[in-house]
Amino acid sequence: MKSIQNVAIIMDGNGRWAQNRFRPRIWGHVRGAHVISNISERASDLGLNSLTLYAFSTENLSRPEAEVSFLFRLLDKFLIREEKKILENNIQFKVLGDFSFLNKKTLERISNLENKTKENTGLKLRFAFGYGGRSEILRACKKLNENQEEISEENFSKALYDDESDIDLLIRTGGDQRISNFLLWQIAYAELFFTKTPWPDFTTQEFSQIIQDTSKRERRFGQILTESIKEMSL
Ligand code: IPE
Ligand code: IPE
Ligand code: MG
């Protein structure tokens, strides 16, 4: 079994990318949206099980209203534009988060695409929108409590937005080395990779290279190597 099957990306650096080119921040978001399409297709071609993309955090709601509403419109356009490709590639699409603040039309588009693709067996493409790791954890606690379920790691994982959720590799673009409230539970044993490349410049080549390189990392999960055990018993 391949060691990197579930990948998550913090798609950061759009605003700085645009500002460095003396353009408004939103221009960076437009370019970034096109990159999403290429990277998802590559993830699908590579045969990954899932790709979870951080598109809009709970904290991002506090940005200026013009940028926030632009991002909402961009999501809507993305859903219209990408539907065909998602269906053709047998991708299963789902949005994770509390995105109830979106307008009715966009909410409908999301649920239509989720329904249309729910039986698809290819890449599980997850879009984290209105997503916060802490609020996801609290939501899962409340869910277990309401259903009077035993608090176990297994039940807890199932109560998250996406029940099949452990991440093997977390990539962050844009140069910062932090998690910014993303998938706090799911990255417990993820490999981390930070690249200085801003999201609008992130290419399918760099993506494939990162996966290839991190696949070679030795993931020990707290254990020790068989080789070391042999050495110890000598
Ligand atoms: C990431 O890019 C996209 C979102 C958070 C919506 P940013 O908008 O955070 O870009 P920088 O980090 O300011 O460059
Ligand atoms: C993280 O980027 C959120 C997304 C990429 C959607 P931010 O730009 O919001 O993170 P901080 O503020 O630098 O931590
Ligand atoms: Mg940022």
Side-chain angles (χ1 to χ4, degrees):
M1 207 204 233
K2 277 186 275 172
S3 66
I4 305 292
Q5 300 223 42
N6 301 297
V7 177
I9 309 182
I10 302 175
M11 307 183 290
D12 196 26
N14 292 352
R16 281 166 287 163
W17 181 88
Q19 281 169 330
N20 286 338
R21 284 160 182 77
F22 307 102
R23 299 282 194 127
R25 290 176 54 84
I26 52 173
W27 197 58
H29 296 314
V30 173
R31 290 287 293 249
H34 289 283
V35 175
I36 295 178
S37 173
N38 298 340
I39 298 297
S40 310
E41 202 170 14
R42 176 59 61 95
S44 171
D45 294 345
L46 288 171
L48 295 183
N49 180 55
S50 70
L51 178 68
T52 307
L53 300 172
Y54 205 7
F56 190 81
S57 71
T58 42
E59 289 76 17
N60 290 151
L61 269 175
S62 315
R63 289 189 181 191
E65 144 59 25
E67 181 166 341
V68 170
S69 56
F70 186 85
L71 287 166
F72 293 174
R73 286 201 299 279
L74 202 59
L75 171 68
D76 199 64
K77 281 196 186 138
F78 177 86
L79 294 166
I80 298 169
R81 195 178 63 228
E82 294 301 312
E83 170 160 347
K84 192 163 166 261
K85 209 167 171 187
I86 288 174
L87 294 173
E88 277 171 6
N89 285 298
N90 192 25
I91 290 172
Q92 191 199 84
F93 180 80
K94 200 171 171 193
V95 182
L96 318 178
D98 176 2
F99 45 90
S100 49
F101 46 74
L102 291 170
N103 72 36
K104 210 168 144 243
K105 234 187 199 164
T106 310
L107 291 174
E108 267 170 28
R109 271 194 238 291
I110 292 171
S111 79
N112 281 342
L113 194 54
E114 286 183 343
N115 282 329
K116 269 192 203 167
T117 63
K118 68 171 186 265
E119 306 295 340
N120 283 357
T121 52
L123 175 77
K124 295 182 172 73
L125 179 62
R126 273 58 178 123
F127 231 65
F129 207 97
Y131 176 88
R134 285 185 172 176
S135 63
E136 180 180 34
I137 288 172
L138 290 183
R139 180 180 166 274
C141 292
K142 285 179 196 155
K143 220 164 147 185
L144 292 184
N145 190 31
E146 270 164 30
N147 301 337
Q148 299 193 340
E149 280 180 79
E150 186 203 343
I151 311 266
S152 64
E153 289 198 12
E154 202 190 339
N155 286 345
F156 194 86
S157 292
K158 283 190 192 141
L160 297 170
Y161 288 121
D162 192 14
D163 55 6
E164 195 195 301
S165 51
D166 273 2
I167 297 298
D168 300 310
L169 167 64
L170 172 68
I171 301 169
R172 181 175 187 137
T173 63
D176 288 316
Q177 303 193 4
R178 56 175 169 264
I179 303 300
S180 303
N181 200 15
F182 193 35
L183 302 175
L184 300 179
W185 172 272
Q186 297 89 331
I187 58 168
Y189 258 104
E191 295 298 319
L192 305 178
F193 193 97
F194 300 98
T195 170
K196 289 200 167 80
T197 309
W199 179 250
D201 283 341
F202 194 62
T203 60
T204 50
Q205 286 87 336
E206 183 173 1
F207 181 56
S208 297
Q209 192 65 50
I210 292 170
I211 292 182
Q212 206 182 322
D213 292 350
T214 45
S215 300
K216 292 185 201 132
R217 289 188 193 171
E218 187 182 87
R219 304 185 71 196
R220 290 189 290 278
F221 299 98
Q223 308 296 310
I224 49 175
L225 289 172
T226 330
E227 293 300 306
S228 316
I229 296 173
K230 275 190 216 143
E231 271 170 35
M232 276 159 52
S233 56
L234 277 175

